[in-house]
Amino acid sequence: MSPGVFLELLARDASPVEYEGPLVEARAAGAAPAVLAELERAKLAALRVRASLERHARREARLTALFDTAGDLAALRDVDAVLRAIVRRARRLLDADISYIALNDDEAGHAYMRVTDGSVSAAFRRLKLPMGSGLVGLVAQTATPYSSPDYLTDARFNHRGFIDAAVGEEALVAILGVPMRLGGKVLGVLAAANRTERPFDQEDVTLLASLAAHAAVALDNARLLEETRTALEELSVANEDVRARGEAVERAAQAHDRMTDLVVRGGGIQGVAAVVTEVLGGALHVLDADGRELAAVGAAGELAPARAADAAAAASRTPGHAVACGDLWVAAFSSGEERLGTLVLREAGELSGADQRILERAALVAALLRLFRRSAAEAEGRVRGELLGDLLDERTGDLDGLRDRARRVDVDPDAPHVLVAVRLTGGEDEPGRRRRAAFWASSHAAAQRGLATARGDEVVLMLPGDRPGAAAQHVAQQLGASLGVPATAGAAGPVKALDGVAAAYREAQRCARALVALDRHGDGAGAAELGFVGLLIGDEHDVAGFLGGALGPVLAYDERRGTDLAGTLETYFGTGASTARTAERLHIHVNTVAQRLDRIARLLGPDWQSPSQALEIQLALRLHRLHRPA
């Protein structure tokens, strides 16, 4: 048999056993020893060639696997997919029963299973290996490859019960582990294991180490990709934040420009409120220091007094800053220690920092407008107050000059005017109360084309009109509500000439003092409303007016019907309010007296016999008797 038969075996990649066939046939055929020796040499050479071809094929397969892994890394999209591909290739190329990757957790001080291939034990897949424990823990700690043909009996390793139990449950015997290093840092361990005893050679270690290097690169690429993705997301957020900030700054600049233009053009707080709602949305209420509404813009309806008080209180705790109060945003505006008012923005949702600055800037502009208005009003009030002061002090030598001054402040010197003197009673004389009273009086008088001034604890107004009592009642009510303390107002007039102002003022003072003496704090009246007291203190001594006020309906009834109810009243009071004695004196029946008294009650009102009204009626009856023709 020719040695060439071994070439045929090599060509068809025959198994090593088949290489013994030619020798067996030659011996059976009785071949010479030289022929047998030649065949033996050819067989050994063929086996060596076969082994070399196997090594080359294995090396080629391993290189192909490494190239495939490198390709996976180049097209990295999912790090877990790449790691799974690596452990599968390691298992196949090392002809292992199982392969796996354990990653280091430096903070926890252990390595944990990340990817496995061929594992059947859940406990093994959940295994955490403390640094230095077991084969994998030792590789992770020392960054050195280790292998064992029979791990559970290998005394070189620090065996831990839970580790050996998991290895036993997986039925592993031989284990090879290599570190996954990136620079000087160990990221984890790539391991391959068999369920039968097996020594691992240096070629196995080299192959697994190459795959481990690829796994480390995959993990680092994944980290870089994640960092890049995070950086891009942060950059996107930063860009969005910059854009939002830019829009907020632009919005704030526009609001500032509009409010500045509003101030320059002489606009008011209503205009500021309109700008704020156009920029921020919602509805805005502007309240004064006492919680009364100065302006409102938007469709949010009225602001309840209780909510207004809560908003003002919240704003006062942080003056100059916008604060949330339920669904409201509020900002107080003030001048020094004096609070001027509050902006209340409602139904606007959450406000950004820039939007809060817009509301705060609007509060500042509102404060400026209030101060401008106050300064203008005070300047005009000083002019008006100086004119009224001259009239009250009877510095009326140059009446033409006074009339010209009156016309310049829009006061008609030829129209009838009433004088109102106001006394503030009750409460502490808190700082600013007199100034607030003077400011209110000046504003009220200016609105009615009148004059006002403050003189000590008293405020004096000269108002157009011919009804002093009604004017006094209105001033007492409005000023008292504004200040929160009773304002008692006396009035006199009307005066139709400027030189009569001083006398009317003195009468108004007497009326105010009379109201205080009568304990009618917070009331307003002229001499006519004070009855006989007014008759005594009034300059005109208007008897007819007093009679009309106290007894007018009865006198008119007598005049129309030809009766004498007034005489019946006089007799009734003269008998000590006795109906029987009245009937006796008048020579009429008691029932007739009762009927006349019922008529009188209908004419004068049900309280005509009250002490105060009865006194005035009796005085009126006496004056009536004196004024009747003899």
Side-chain angles (χ1 to χ4, degrees):
M1 181 172 290
S2 172
V5 68
F6 293 106
L7 293 178
E8 294 178 1
L9 292 173
L10 285 172
R12 62 182 180 86
D13 194 21
S15 66
V17 175
E18 293 182 70
Y19 283 81
E20 295 294 334
L23 281 172
V24 172
E25 291 178 5
R27 287 190 186 98
V35 173
L36 292 175
E38 179 67 20
L39 287 174
E40 182 67 23
R41 285 193 298 272
K43 181 195 75 169
L44 293 175
L47 288 174
R48 286 195 299 272
V49 171
R50 183 181 184 281
S52 178
L53 290 174
E54 284 184 347
R55 285 195 301 273
H56 284 297
R58 188 164 56 249
R59 186 176 295 112
E60 181 180 357
R62 291 180 175 183
L63 287 175
T64 301
L66 292 176
F67 285 136
D68 291 342
T69 303
D72 291 339
L73 290 176
L76 179 64
R77 292 294 181 271
D78 182 352
V79 64
D80 285 334
V82 174
L83 295 179
R84 284 194 296 270
I86 288 173
V87 295
R88 279 197 303 271
R89 287 166 187 155
R91 179 187 176 194
R92 185 179 70 252
L93 293 175
L94 269 70
D95 194 21
D97 295 321
I98 179 175
S99 60
Y100 52 92
I101 288 176
L103 296 183
N104 287 5
D105 186 339
D106 295 330
E107 292 184 2
H110 62 238
Y112 63 94
M113 293 295 179
R114 173 69 180 269
V115 182
T116 64
D117 187 65
S119 173
V120 296
S121 168
F124 187 81
R125 290 193 297 271
R126 294 194 302 267
L127 190 61
K128 294 180 181 179
L129 303 103
M131 292 296 177
S133 297
L135 186 148
V136 170
L138 184 61
V139 174
Q141 183 182 56
T142 63
T144 303
Y146 278 93
S147 66
S148 174
D150 188 356
Y151 166 75
L152 291 177
T153 62
D154 198 330
R156 291 177 301 160
F157 305 106
N158 178 19
H159 290 272
R160 302 283 292 272
F162 69 94
I163 298 176
D164 288 355
V167 171
E169 185 174 318
E170 194 66 64
L172 300 182
V173 178
I175 303 175
L176 167 64
V178 297
M180 295 162 46
R181 288 191 293 190
L182 188 69
K185 183 177 181 180
V186 177
L187 302 182
V189 176
L190 174 61
N194 282 74
R195 294 187 173 90
T196 57
E197 186 173 336
R198 169 191 172 176
F200 292 96
D201 58 24
Q202 186 60 40
E203 190 172 347
D204 295 330
V205 174
T206 301
L207 172 64
L208 200 60
S210 298
L211 291 172
H214 283 84
V217 171
L219 289 171
D220 190 54
N221 286 348
R223 178 185 61 80
L224 293 176
L225 284 174
E226 183 62 28
E227 290 178 355
T228 302
R229 188 180 298 111
T230 302
L232 288 174
E233 290 175 355
E234 291 175 352
L235 182 60
S236 176
V237 171
N239 286 336
E240 183 63 26
D241 186 54
V242 168
R243 185 190 63 78
R245 287 178 180 272
E247 291 177 353
V249 169
E250 179 65 23
R251 189 166 61 251
Q254 291 177 357
H256 177 264
D257 291 343
R258 292 179 61 185
M259 285 188 284
T260 302
D261 183 61
L262 184 72
V263 173
V264 171
R265 290 188 291 105
I269 289 181
Q270 185 76 19
V272 174
V275 171
V276 172
T277 54
E278 287 178 19
V279 175
L280 300 182
L284 187 75
H285 297 262
V286 185
L287 311 177
D288 66 9
D290 297 318
R292 288 186 297 270
E293 192 168 86
L294 298 174
V297 175
E302 296 182 356
L303 187 65
R307 298 206 68 198
D310 291 343
S316 65
R317 289 192 289 270
T318 54
H321 295 283
V323 296
C325 179
D327 63 341
L328 305 177
W329 281 91
V330 294
F333 53 95
S334 57
S335 175
E337 296 298 324
E338 180 190 3
R339 207 175 88 202
L340 301 176
T342 309
L343 299 185
V344 182
L345 184 68
R346 62 188 302 179
E347 297 186 357
E350 186 69 22
L351 290 187
S352 66
D355 289 343
Q356 292 178 38
R357 301 295 88 76
I358 292 175
L359 186 61
E360 292 164 3
R361 179 61 57 88
L364 178 61
V365 173
L368 291 174
L369 290 175
R370 290 285 284 174
L371 291 175
F372 289 161
R373 180 173 176 267
R374 176 189 291 177
S375 298
E378 287 177 348
E380 183 180 353
R382 282 194 297 271
V383 175
R384 292 173 176 272
E386 289 170 0
L387 173 58
L388 183 55
D390 289 343
L391 295 173
L392 298 179
D393 293 336
E394 298 186 283
R395 292 192 288 268
T396 56
D398 183 8
L399 282 175
D400 290 337
L402 291 173
R403 292 167 63 85
D404 288 340
R405 289 169 61 187
R407 292 189 183 95
R408 283 198 295 271
V409 292
D410 200 27
V411 173
D412 184 359
D414 299 319
H417 288 80
V418 296
L419 271 292
V420 182
V422 186
R423 299 172 65 86
L424 304 177
T425 57
E428 298 291 332
D429 186 15
E430 60 189 40
R433 190 186 69 181
R434 296 180 187 176
R435 183 181 56 76
R436 289 167 60 199
F439 179 74
W440 182 92
S442 177
S443 301
H444 182 73
Q448 297 195 36
R449 300 177 63 190
L451 302 174
T453 188
R455 300 170 74 86
D457 289 337
E458 187 179 61
V459 175
V460 185
L461 300 93
M462 189 179 89
L463 304 173
D466 55 6
R467 299 174 59 201
Q473 290 174 359
H474 179 75
V475 168
Q477 180 184 5
Q478 295 297 318
L479 180 54
S482 176
L483 298 179
V485 297
T488 308
V495 295
K496 297 183 179 180
L498 295 182
D499 55 0
V501 169
Y505 164 56
R506 289 190 290 270
E507 181 178 333
Q509 282 184 308
R510 291 195 294 271
C511 290
R513 286 196 294 268
L515 287 171
V516 173
L518 293 171
D519 201 24
R520 291 170 61 179
H521 299 289
D523 199 357
E529 288 75 31
L530 290 173
F532 73 91
V533 175
L535 184 65
L536 294 174
I537 66 177
D539 286 342
E540 298 295 331
H541 301 297
D542 184 10
V543 175
F546 175 66
L547 288 175
L551 207 58
V554 171
L555 297 177
Y557 187 87
D558 285 345
E559 181 70 23
R560 291 195 308 271
R561 303 293 183 91
T563 57
D564 190 20
L565 292 180
T568 302
L569 262 178
E570 190 171 7
T571 303
Y572 177 71
F573 284 119
T575 61
S578 170
T579 55
R581 283 186 286 171
T582 300
E584 183 180 341
R585 288 193 183 182
L586 295 177
H587 307 290
I588 58 177
H589 196 274
V590 173
N591 290 341
T592 303
V593 174
Q595 292 171 0
R596 291 182 182 181
L597 293 178
D598 287 341
R599 173 66 61 184
I600 290 169
R602 286 194 293 273
L603 292 171
L604 297 181
D607 296 330
W608 69 277
Q609 293 194 71
S610 65
S612 60
Q613 192 169 349
L615 176 59
E616 291 204 0
I617 292 172
Q618 292 177 65
L619 289 172
L621 288 169
R622 290 174 181 265
L623 288 172
H624 176 61
R625 187 171 64 249
L626 292 172
H627 279 69
R628 280 187 299 187

